[in-house]
Amino acid sequence: IRINSIDYDLNIQFVEDDENSELFWTDVTKKEEHIIICKINTSHLFFKEFGNPDDSLVAILKSLSVAQFASIERGTNDIDSLFDIFNESIKKIKI
């Protein structure tokens, strides 16, 4: 994923975190290594209701993670910017 002229690797991690109420979040602890990690909480109520994440849901969550990160990096952390970036990144995301 290219953001602000920097190429980042986008990794996915499935976690089971009953203490965390978030469906997914973006882990940027390896940002200096140009790695973004989308963590998907398989213990979330959503998955208990609808089953394990399939490829299409994973692609959407990864794209949302990229959009969140990119909008912050660009200094345009608003909903319009987030959805613009999401719509562009969903075209490029691979599972």
Side-chain angles (χ1 to χ4, degrees):
I1 302 295
R2 190 168 195 79
I3 301 168
N4 291 347
S5 302
I6 299 172
D7 290 325
Y8 290 89
D9 288 326
L10 176 61
N11 295 337
I12 188 85
Q13 283 184 1
F14 295 99
V15 297
E16 291 184 18
D17 189 348
D18 291 323
E19 301 298 316
N20 191 329
S21 63
E22 296 182 29
L23 176 64
F24 77 100
W25 60 93
T26 306
D27 179 349
V28 295
T29 57
K30 295 187 176 190
K31 177 182 166 185
E32 297 302 317
E33 299 169 49
H34 304 276
I35 299 170
I36 304 166
I37 304 166
C38 175
K39 293 193 175 189
I40 298 175
N41 187 5
T42 56
S43 293
H44 191 274
L45 179 62
F46 180 88
F47 296 119
K48 290 178 182 175
E49 285 289 319
F50 298 104
N52 291 330
D54 62 12
D55 289 348
S56 58
L57 180 59
V58 169
I60 289 170
L61 295 177
K62 286 171 69 175
S63 293
L64 284 169
S65 191
V66 167
Q68 178 190 34
F69 177 76
S71 66
I72 291 168
E73 288 296 299
R74 294 176 182 171
T76 58
N77 192 17
D78 59 58
I79 196 70
D80 290 333
S81 175
L82 186 120
F83 277 109
D84 287 345
I85 297 167
F86 168 79
N87 285 320
E88 284 303 310
S89 67
I90 195 72
K91 298 173 189 174
K92 300 172 188 171
I93 291 293
K94 306 284 187 241
I95 298 298

